[in-house]
Amino acid sequence: MKAASAEKDVETAYKSLIQKAFDPDGLDFAWSSPFNTDGVFSELANSSLFNLQQSPAIFYKNYAVLKLLLETKWNKDFKLAPVKFQTLVQAIYYLKEFQGHNEQLPNVVLIGDENECFVVAGSQLAVYLSEKLNWSIPASSAGTDPSNQNFVLQLISKSGINPYVFEVSSKELDLNNVINLIACYAQGLPLVKLKINEKNLRETFEWFINSVFHGSLKKYEPDTLVSIFVQSLTASKDCYLVPPSQKELHLIDGSVIPIDANAYISFFSRFEKNYSPKEKREITAIADRLIEETKRRFHGDFWTPTLWADKAQEVLEKQFGNDYREKFVVWDSSCGSKNLTRDYYFKELYVSTLHQSELDMSSAYNTNAISFQMDFLNDDVFINSNTQESELTKIPPPY
């Protein structure tokens, strides 16, 4: 998607992704463009699916089930409700074309641009095919046509449709989450919401604050943003959208704050809001570290996402051997809150950072390590290792 410079490039990229995920050999499914759609991914007439043990994503109880409608855009912000629902109206108009030609309706709709995408079940949109709309309007302009603006507002406020928007441009996006959601809708299976844990916490927190506080993020301090995020996850009874307008969020202390309610609902359409007491404690335990990391990020400092910490381990193992954590003395000289090392055991580990507060917050990680405060760009230090092994220094980006 990085190479995309126009909407057609985006279309090609999504088609390639779907083809590789569901039918990489191109033997059973293919893309077509009926009714001037950007693309429909459906079974070939001479498909061999019924004789193969295919992925359950496209093969379910001996029936091929996936028929996907693709709609691509260029440089849109789907986190904004009007933009998202105008595009959904366009998709509904395309479904009306299928219905009018007595063709099977697509059961999955994928909408995306070069930065974001979202997925809805075709059945969620099909219920609106009986609406009294001007169906003669071309689908390509139906979402923005003035005669459909009340319909767009109706969908925003009353439809119950509010799909989660994936950030395609995010380095931390796991595309399997998009593919699995498509498979789930194709098979008509109930949606299994994702649980927030330490692995995905930062990515989901970033999405939450950038979407729910769209345009007003700078009004809040990092500790307030983290508190609202944690409350939303752990205090479901006391943290809720205030009726009837649902444009404000009620917090535990009784205060209310204005938010983007559509983004809030969209977030919890994809992520779980019910956690066990143990899971709530684990989420809360991370809060202090998240506050500090948010403060640093607001001030231009850097932290290493778990995805890249794991990648760093992979590269180091390839270069120095799978046993390098046992063989080498390792010093992370700008460890921050120990993102690079916290998920791994090191026989002899030294960690240092500029801020003592970071060491305090990360004291539960790498407990066997020697931790100390140091400005590695200006200070000098001598590590007197008790081992006879080589020393290896890990320096995280941007240094």
Side-chain angles (χ1 to χ4, degrees), residues 346-359:
F346 295 79
K347 182 178 179 180
E348 188 164 0
L349 175 66
Y350 296 82
V351 290
S352 62
T353 187
L354 180 63
H355 305 290
Q356 180 62 41
S357 59
E358 294 178 318
L359 297 177

Side-chain angles (χ1 to χ4, degrees), residues 152-209:
V152 172
L153 294 175
Q154 175 190 338
L155 291 178
I156 293 174
S157 61
K158 299 179 180 180
S159 69
I161 303 172
N162 212 326
Y164 179 78
V165 177
F166 295 92
E167 294 189 0
V168 179
S169 57
S170 170
K171 294 180 179 179
E172 297 187 18
L173 172 67
D174 184 352
L175 285 172
N176 286 325
N177 289 332
V178 180
I179 298 302
N180 291 338
L181 187 57
I182 290 172
C184 178
Y185 284 145
Q187 296 176 25
L189 300 176
L191 176 63
V192 177
K193 293 186 178 182
L194 301 177
K195 285 204 169 186
I196 292 175
N197 52 46
E198 189 167 358
K199 286 282 187 180
N200 64 20
L201 181 73
R202 293 174 181 83
E203 178 189 358
T204 53
F205 174 69
E206 285 297 307
W207 192 101
F208 183 88
I209 62 174

Side-chain angles (χ1 to χ4, degrees), residues 315-325 327-328 392:
V315 172
L316 287 167
E317 288 175 1
K318 184 177 180 179
Q319 180 68 31
F320 298 105
N322 293 337
D323 61 346
Y324 91 89
R325 288 183 292 273
K327 180 180 178 182
F328 289 91
L392 174 65

Side-chain angles (χ1 to χ4, degrees), residues 353-374:
T353 187
L354 180 63
H355 305 290
Q356 180 62 41
S357 59
E358 294 178 318
L359 297 177
D360 295 338
M361 284 191 299
S362 60
S363 60
Y365 302 103
N366 299 123
T367 54
N368 66 314
I370 302 298
S371 304
F372 55 98
Q373 184 276 329
M374 190 191 98

Side-chain angles (χ1 to χ4, degrees), residues 32-35 37 39-40 67-69 91-106 129:
S32 60
S33 299
F35 317 122
T37 60
V40 173
K67 186 172 184 179
L68 181 143
L69 170 64
I92 291 171
Y93 268 68
Y94 280 126
L95 294 187
K96 189 69 172 182
E97 291 281 3
F98 283 90
Q99 184 188 61
H101 288 79
N102 295 317
E103 292 194 19
Q104 177 188 356
L105 300 182
L129 297 181

Side-chain angles (χ1 to χ4, degrees), residues 35-36 71 73 86 90-91 93-94 137-145:
F35 317 122
N36 294 318
E71 177 58 36
K73 297 293 182 183
Q86 284 170 358
Q90 184 177 348
Y93 268 68
Y94 280 126
I137 299 172
S140 59
S141 59
T144 55
D145 191 281

Side-chain angles (χ1 to χ4, degrees), residues 368-397:
N368 66 314
I370 302 298
S371 304
F372 55 98
Q373 184 276 329
M374 190 191 98
D375 179 357
F376 83 92
L377 290 177
N378 299 299
D379 297 345
D380 198 5
V381 69
F382 174 73
I383 296 178
N384 183 15
S385 171
N386 294 322
T387 73
Q388 302 299 315
E389 303 295 347
S390 304
E391 292 188 16
L392 174 65
T393 299
K394 295 170 64 176
I395 299 186

Side-chain angles (χ1 to χ4, degrees), residues 213-230:
F213 297 98
H214 194 91
S216 61
L217 186 59
K218 294 182 179 180
K219 294 181 180 179
Y220 300 94
E221 292 296 322
D223 55 343
T224 301
L225 294 171
V226 172
S227 176
I228 294 169
F229 178 64
V230 172

